[in-house]
Amino acid sequence: MTRFLRNSLTLARKEWISLLRDVFMLGFVVYSFTFSVYSQATGISHELHNAAIAIVDEDRSTLSQRLASSFHGPEFQTPAMIGHAEVDPAMDSARYTFVLDIPPNFQADVLAGRSPAIQLLIDATAMMQAGIGAGTIQGIVDDEVGRFVRREAEGTAAPVSLQVRVAYNEALDTKWFTGTMSVVSNVTMLAVLLAGAALIREREHGTLEHLLVMPVRPAEIMAAKVLANGAVILVLTLVALYAVLRGLLSVPLAGSVPLFLAGTALYLFFATALGIFLGTVARSMPQLGLLFILIVLPMNMLSGGFTPLESEPDWLQTAMQLSPSTHFVAFAQAILFRGAGFDVVWPRFAATAGIGALFFAWSLARFRRHLASFR
C-alpha cells in the first residue's frame, strides 16, 4: 500500500506538471469555473423583465384604466395605448410581445356577472417571456377584476385566500439557481474531459510507452490520473463557490460547503474513471469529443440539474437512478439550496460511491487491456 500511494502521488505530480504546460487546456478549465459560470448565471433570465406590452382599450371605463395601470416595471414596460388598426403591424414588426384587447362594455359585463373575455395576443418568438408573461398577465387581470368587484359589492369576501410562501429562493432570482447548477454541471463535463484528454495526450506524445517500462502498475497509473484531475476540479469548484457564486453573484450557499466538497470528491471518483474509459475507446481528441456528446451530455441533461427529474417518463427516471450524476445533482441541490445535512444526503452519497466503485473497477479492467495492447 505504501508503494501504491508513493507511485500514485509521483505520477499525479507528473499529471499536474503536464496540465500546467498545456496552456490551452488549463485556460479552458479555469474559464469553465469562472467566467463561464458568471455568464450562464447572468446571461439568461427565466424571469419576466421589461416586456413590451400594448393595450387596446375599447371600453374606456374605470376598470379598464385600472387594468392598464397595473402593468409596470420591472416586469413590464409602460403600456402603450394603441388602436385596433395598429395591432397587426405592431406584432409583425415585433414592437410588442403582448397586446391586451379589452372589449367594449367590459366593466358593465363584469358587474352583471356575464364573464366577458379579454383577448391577449402573444409574440411567441420570444418563447421564454411569452410563456411566463401569459401567466403573469392572467394573474394581474384576475387580481384587479377581483378587487374591483369586491369594492363594488361591499361586504363580499373572496371564498378562498391563497397565501404563498416561497422557500429557499425567496426573491425567485434566476442566477441563484442557474449559477449553482452550472458549477455542478461543469464538474461532470470537465472531470470527464480532463481525464480522457490526459490519457489521449500521453498516447499521442508517446509517453504512455515510457510508463510501461517503469516499475508501476496499471492501477497506480489510473489512480494517479483520477487523483490529479479530480483534485484540479475540486479546487476549481471551491473557487467557483466562493469567488463567483458568493463573491460576484451574491448567492447564499445554505448548507455546508465541506459536506458538498466531500460528496463531489466521491462523484469525481466516477466521473474521472468515465473519462479514462472513454479515453481508452477514443483514438484521438475529435473521437473523444464525439463520445462526449453521445454519452456525457445526455447524462448531464437527464440528471435533473436543469429540468426536474419528475418531468421525465417513468422508465427513464428509473434508468437514471443507475447514473451517479443523478445522485450528485440531488445531493448538491439538497446541500447548497436547502441546507441539508449528512443525515439527509447519506443515501445519495452511498449510491454515488457504490456505483462509482463498480464503474472504476470496470474502467480499470478496460485500462489494463488498453495498456496490454502497447506491449
Side-chain angles (χ1 to χ4, degrees):
M1 180 58 69
T2 302
R3 176 194 170 192
F4 180 88
L5 291 175
R6 184 176 64 250
N7 288 345
S8 298
L9 290 174
T10 302
L11 292 172
R13 180 173 176 271
K14 177 190 72 67
E15 294 289 335
W16 288 323
I17 294 173
S18 178
L19 178 61
L20 288 174
R21 290 177 177 175
D22 191 340
V23 178
F24 175 80
M25 183 61 74
L26 181 62
F28 175 69
V29 173
V30 173
Y31 162 83
S32 298
F33 282 94
T34 52
F35 183 77
S36 176
V37 173
Y38 181 83
S39 61
Q40 287 182 63
T42 58
I44 300 177
S45 176
H46 297 283
E47 292 115 16
L48 190 67
H49 181 72
N50 205 34
I53 183 171
I55 296 177
V56 180
D57 187 358
E58 300 181 80
D59 191 33
R60 306 285 180 178
S61 64
T62 303
L63 179 56
S64 66
Q65 292 173 10
R66 285 186 56 169
L67 286 175
S69 64
S70 299
F71 298 96
H72 47 72
E75 291 86 4
F76 297 95
Q77 298 178 12
T78 301
M81 308 305 294
I82 62 176
H84 255 302
E86 301 175 73
V87 173
D88 287 342
M91 293 291 285
D92 291 341
S93 61
R95 284 169 53 195
Y96 307 111
T97 305
F98 305 100
V99 174
L100 191 67
D101 188 351
I102 303 175
N105 303 316
F106 174 68
Q107 177 176 308
D109 289 341
V110 167
L111 294 177
R114 287 192 284 267
S115 300
I118 297 180
Q119 185 180 53
L120 177 63
L121 303 175
I122 303 175
D123 177 5
T125 55
M127 188 177 66
M128 188 172 293
Q129 287 213 343
I132 300 172
T136 303
I137 293 173
Q138 176 73 59
I140 290 174
V141 170
D142 288 346
D143 185 56
E144 285 299 325
V145 171
R147 284 194 288 179
F148 180 80
V149 171
R150 287 194 297 272
R151 180 174 295 181
E152 292 297 319
E154 293 183 3
T156 303
V160 176
S161 177
L162 180 65
Q163 299 295 323
V164 179
R165 298 290 185 269
V166 179
Y168 313 121
N169 186 357
E170 291 83 357
L172 299 177
D173 194 340
T174 298
K175 67 176 182 288
W176 287 21
F177 176 80
T178 308
T180 305
M181 295 317 300
S182 67
V183 174
V184 172
S185 175
N186 286 348
V187 166
T188 299
M189 294 192 293
L190 270 298
V192 174
L193 282 176
L194 267 184
L199 180 57
I200 292 177
R201 185 171 55 239
E202 283 200 324
R203 190 168 60 231
E204 291 177 343
H205 293 172
T207 56
L208 196 59
E209 289 85 347
H210 296 170
L211 291 176
L212 296 178
V213 300
M214 296 176 64
V216 293
R217 292 170 292 181
E220 294 168 350
I221 298 174
M222 184 168 171
K225 294 185 181 300
V226 169
L227 172 63
N229 293 293
V232 170
I233 298 299
L234 206 59
V235 170
L236 288 174
T237 300
L238 187 62
V239 171
L241 291 176
Y242 282 104
V244 181
L245 294 184
R246 270 191 179 170
L248 295 178
L249 299 174
S250 301
V251 177
L253 304 177
S256 168
V257 172
L259 179 62
F260 169 70
L261 292 177
T264 302
L266 282 178
Y267 176 69
L268 286 171
F269 191 66
F270 159 78
T272 50
L274 175 59
I276 293 172
F277 176 82
L278 295 181
T280 62
V281 176
R283 298 302 175 188
S284 63
M285 285 299 294
Q287 287 187 11
L288 178 65
L290 291 175
L291 289 173
F292 182 88
I293 293 173
L294 289 173
I295 297 174
V296 181
L297 287 185
M299 183 182 73
N300 227 11
M301 293 170 62
L302 298 174
S303 63
F306 290 96
T307 56
L309 197 67
E310 294 77 11
S311 64
E312 300 173 8
D314 291 340
W315 67 267
L316 187 55
Q317 293 183 42
T318 303
M320 287 307 297
Q321 296 304 315
L322 300 176
S323 171
S325 63
T326 302
H327 302 287
F328 175 52
V329 168
F331 74 66
Q333 291 180 341
I335 295 171
L336 298 179
F337 292 150
R338 297 187 287 275
F342 183 73
D343 58 322
V344 174
V345 300
W346 74 264
R348 299 289 188 178
F349 275 42
T352 302
I355 300 173
L358 291 174
F359 192 84
F360 182 87
W362 185 29
S363 297
L364 179 58
R366 169 76 189 185
F367 185 63
R368 283 198 177 105
R369 292 196 298 270
H370 179 69
L371 292 182
S373 66
F374 286 87
R375 295 185 186 276

